[in-house]
Amino acid sequence: MSKPSPLSGFPELLPAQRVVEREIVASLSRTFELHGFANIETRVVEPLERLAKGGEIDKEIYVLRRLQAEDSDVDSGGNMLGLHFDLTVPFARYVLEHAGKLEFPFRRFQIQPAWRGERPQEGRYRQFTQADIDIVGRDELGFHHDVEVVRVMVEALDALPLPGLSFQVNNRKLIQGFYRGLGIPDVTAAIKAIDKLDKLPSDEVARLLVEQAGATPEQAQRCLELAGIRVADTSFVQQVRELGVGDELLDQGLTELAAVIDGCASAVNDHVRVEANLRIARGLDYYTGTVLEVFMDGYERLKSVGGGGRYDALASDGRTTYPGVGVSFGVSRTLIPLLADGVLDGSRPVPSAVLVALVDEDSRGHSLAVAQQLRARGIPCEVVAHPQKFGKQIRTAERRGIPFVWFPSADGSHEVKDIRTGEQVAADPAAWTPPTEDLRPRVVMKEQEL
């Protein structure tokens, strides 16, 4: 069999890199659980009619198909099946399907892979892991949950060993009310045009506002002035007022955005910032209030590494509507470029903190007994595969990244060696414990120009 070639867009991590991913996921889970979010895991497939909504994403859906099937596999209702491309669509279905067994507001977090058949590039993969949190209500959901969800994700990402992060927040009511107050004929088209400011120059966006949203050149310029407001406090309220546009929806959006900025103020620091950025629009139509995107310092080329907002109709069964607010963080989108650049790495590729040496094959049982004593107290360890000279066994530990080598003796005495410092001391397998930082592999963030 020839050496296999990697599949583009389906990244696989080496053991030390996987340490980083697992620790990141564990840290996110701990923070979410501290705030009372319950973990769920949805199936990887959904009926194709639920996934495909006639949008741009339709051409990127992977369809589930058996090799010998004449047609794509179907569920019991005859629906074709596809792999989910995000966690929002399956979550909406989950809420509808299990609503009678859930307590609302329902607080959920979900960390799972998704699949998207797009052109692979840095930060965009065909298989990737996302971490989502959402709070969903039944028929109504208080605005204070918008503030809460944003703050929870701020705290969750602040706990991670990542470069600096910027939460850039806006409110759809604010921009819709502003455009309405200006008298722009097609508010939705105006939002979609402003959402292109990170891809197109401002004069091109102004042209789109005129041609697609029906704005006058003067109105287009006012829209660009609004989009240029970006501050880390609530001074944006006065800046918007000075633009001279009045509208009831605009007033509500200003109030809500100010509440989010104020609500996160005590959680921000040099590592994680929260800013009002009135350019952020999020082109998806289902957002109705708070909208946000997350950017990582030094990796602006990735565009946003997270985002989300308020949606007042996540799902509906015709009788009941389930509004929600949520934020998604791109685990793979963020970590894989950092791993490739050497910014993050695992402290060692194996979980073992100790390699138990082997004097000879006859003493294997004794070495295994020592290992079992260590494991019984939560110390990961392994016994060397083959009896060799101790120098070679130490080199085995070095290659595997194991910090300690344990030397048992036939007379019942034991010594343990820190192979990094060369220090070797007497030790009791029923009492000795490695330093806390050596007990498990850790995430190491290397100094680098960002």
Side-chain angles (χ1 to χ4, degrees):
M1 180 179 177
S2 61
K3 183 178 180 180
S5 300
L7 287 176
S8 178
F10 294 89
E12 291 182 322
L13 302 181
L14 293 172
Q17 297 173 327
R18 177 68 172 147
V19 165
V20 176
E21 185 180 55
R22 290 186 65 194
E23 289 300 309
I24 293 296
V25 168
S27 177
L28 290 170
S29 300
R30 285 192 297 270
T31 303
F32 298 155
E33 289 174 349
L34 281 173
H35 289 270
F37 287 79
N39 180 232
I40 68 168
E41 183 173 298
T42 56
R43 65 196 187 207
V44 303
V45 295
E46 296 292 335
L48 194 57
E49 65 176 14
R50 184 175 293 277
L51 293 172
K53 297 295 185 182
E56 186 69 19
I57 196 67
D58 289 4
K59 63 185 179 181
E60 300 176 356
I61 297 172
Y62 281 111
V63 175
L64 186 68
R65 181 183 178 88
R66 290 182 294 117
L67 182 61
Q68 301 299 326
E70 293 184 3
D71 298 306
S72 298
D73 278 11
V74 297
D75 66 6
S76 58
N79 297 305
M80 295 172 60
L81 302 177
L83 298 178
H84 62 231
F85 54 80
D86 68 5
L87 301 183
T88 301
V89 172
F91 178 52
R93 187 268 311 160
Y94 181 95
V95 169
L96 284 176
E97 188 171 332
H98 302 287
K101 301 175 183 177
L102 301 176
E103 184 68 27
F104 293 94
F106 178 50
R107 307 158 68 86
R108 108 20 168 127
F109 81 90
Q110 191 172 349
I111 304 176
Q112 273 186 250
W115 293 266
R116 187 172 293 184
E118 61 182 353
R119 183 175 66 85
Q121 55 186 299
E122 185 184 38
R124 302 186 74 87
Y125 312 103
R126 291 173 173 169
Q127 177 176 314
F128 52 94
T129 298
Q130 290 186 193
D132 286 18
I133 57 170
D134 288 85
I135 301 177
V136 175
R138 195 197 315 257
D139 289 327
E140 61 181 11
L141 184 71
F143 170 76
H144 65 275
H145 291 298
D146 289 41
V147 180
E148 180 183 13
V149 162
V150 177
R151 177 161 180 136
V152 170
M153 189 60 85
V154 167
E155 292 184 14
L157 299 191
D158 188 33
L160 303 182
L162 301 177
L165 296 161
S166 171
F167 281 67
Q168 298 182 20
V169 192
N170 199 1
N171 193 289
R172 289 288 284 261
K173 295 174 184 175
L174 189 162
I175 50 182
Q176 288 174 328
F178 187 87
Y179 299 158
R180 191 171 73 179
L182 272 178
I184 292 179
D186 192 335
V187 170
T188 299
I191 292 174
K192 291 181 178 179
I194 290 295
D195 197 43
K196 298 181 186 296
L197 273 173
D198 61 341
K199 302 174 184 177
L200 300 175
S202 58
D203 57 347
E204 180 67 14
V205 172
R207 184 185 66 79
L208 293 176
L209 286 166
V210 172
E211 294 180 358
Q212 298 179 3
T216 66
E218 293 75 17
Q219 289 172 333
Q221 183 58 40
R222 303 289 289 282
C223 292
L224 292 173
E225 290 175 8
L226 179 75
I229 297 174
R230 178 176 172 179
V231 295
D233 54 32
T234 57
S235 62
F236 70 88
V237 176
Q238 182 59 31
Q239 293 183 49
V240 174
R241 297 292 188 205
E242 290 173 356
L243 295 177
V245 176
D247 185 89
E248 183 180 350
L249 191 62
L250 169 63
D251 294 340
Q252 186 178 353
L254 287 169
T255 299
E256 290 185 357
L257 180 56
V260 172
I261 299 300
D262 277 340
C264 294
S266 62
V268 303
N269 50 50
D270 291 339
H271 179 229
V272 178
R273 308 177 302 281
V274 178
E275 303 171 306
N277 183 345
L278 305 196
R279 180 195 66 78
I280 300 298
R282 304 285 289 176
L284 296 172
D285 292 339
Y286 60 70
Y287 288 114
T288 55
T290 301
V291 286
L292 67 97
E293 293 185 357
V294 185
F295 297 86
M296 185 163 61
D297 294 349
Y299 285 82
E300 289 79 9
R301 64 182 186 270
L302 298 177
K303 306 302 181 185
S304 64
V305 297
R310 175 72 175 233
Y311 36 86
D312 285 324
L314 168 72
S316 176
D317 59 9
R319 301 183 305 275
T320 305
T321 299
Y322 299 91
V325 59
V327 183
S328 176
F329 172 63
V331 176
S332 300
R333 184 177 179 83
T334 303
L335 292 189
I336 293 176
L338 293 175
L339 292 168
D341 290 349
V343 177
L344 297 180
D345 202 0
S347 59
R348 60 179 186 260
V350 298
S352 302
V354 180
L355 178 68
V356 182
L358 191 60
V359 176
D360 52 40
E361 196 58 44
D362 291 340
S363 65
R364 181 175 294 277
H366 184 49
S367 293
L368 288 171
V370 170
Q372 195 55 37
Q373 282 184 283
L374 295 173
R375 292 175 189 137
R377 295 188 297 107
I379 302 171
C381 62
E382 59 187 84
V383 176
V384 72
H386 307 289
Q388 298 174 311
K389 292 182 179 179
F390 282 161
K392 290 186 176 181
Q393 296 188 44
I394 291 173
R395 285 193 289 276
T396 295
E398 290 175 337
R399 289 195 303 271
R400 294 178 61 76
I402 302 173
F404 296 95
V405 176
W406 192 283
F407 298 104
S409 177
D411 63 6
S413 62
H414 301 264
E415 291 188 344
V416 64
K417 182 184 186 72
D418 185 334
I419 65 173
R420 299 160 299 183
T421 65
E423 181 183 11
Q424 185 167 325
V425 297
D428 179 357
W432 178 87
T433 299
T436 301
E437 62 270 19
D438 290 325
L439 188 60
R440 297 283 188 278
R442 296 173 292 108
V443 179
V444 178
M445 186 174 185
K446 299 178 181 178
E447 294 293 331
Q448 180 165 322
E449 290 288 336
L450 298 176

